[in-house]
Amino acid sequence: MLADNQTINKQIRLRIPKNFHQEPVISRLVSDYGLTINITAAILGANAVGDGWFDLDLQGTTAQIDTAINHLQEIELEIWDENSISNW
């Protein structure tokens, strides 16, 4: 069982559609939810045309990560985690 303040890592893949390109989605995960983010891979078309795909390593408490992922789901971004890694 994890302590509430124990830091964990969670890997996700996130699709950011072009209509979100002007929004600081990843930056808000840091500033609003207190996460440390490592971008391990990214695909973004030339001149930021089209969707962006980001492999992120999230570091924070379970509560911080769960709250941040809930936010991403609320704004209807596509998220894959290690449970759906075979779909990557």
Side-chain angles (χ1 to χ4, degrees), residues 21 43-51:
H21 282 191
I43 300 172
L44 189 59
N47 300 318
V49 175
D51 298 345

Side-chain angles (χ1 to χ4, degrees), residues 14-28 44 48 50-52 54 71-78:
L14 179 65
R15 182 180 73 88
I16 300 179
K18 62 182 175 181
N19 59 316
F20 276 86
H21 282 191
Q22 298 303 314
E23 300 293 324
V25 173
I26 295 172
S27 175
R28 284 198 177 129
L44 189 59
D51 298 345
F54 298 87
H71 164 72
L72 295 173
Q73 291 170 333
E74 287 173 3
I75 61 174
E76 299 181 353
L77 297 183
E78 289 182 60

Side-chain angles (χ1 to χ4, degrees), residues 12-15 68-69 72-73 77-81 84:
I12 65 169
R13 177 168 285 176
L14 179 65
R15 182 180 73 88
I69 289 176
L72 295 173
Q73 291 170 333
L77 297 183
E78 289 182 60
I79 305 165
W80 292 264
D81 63 15
S84 57

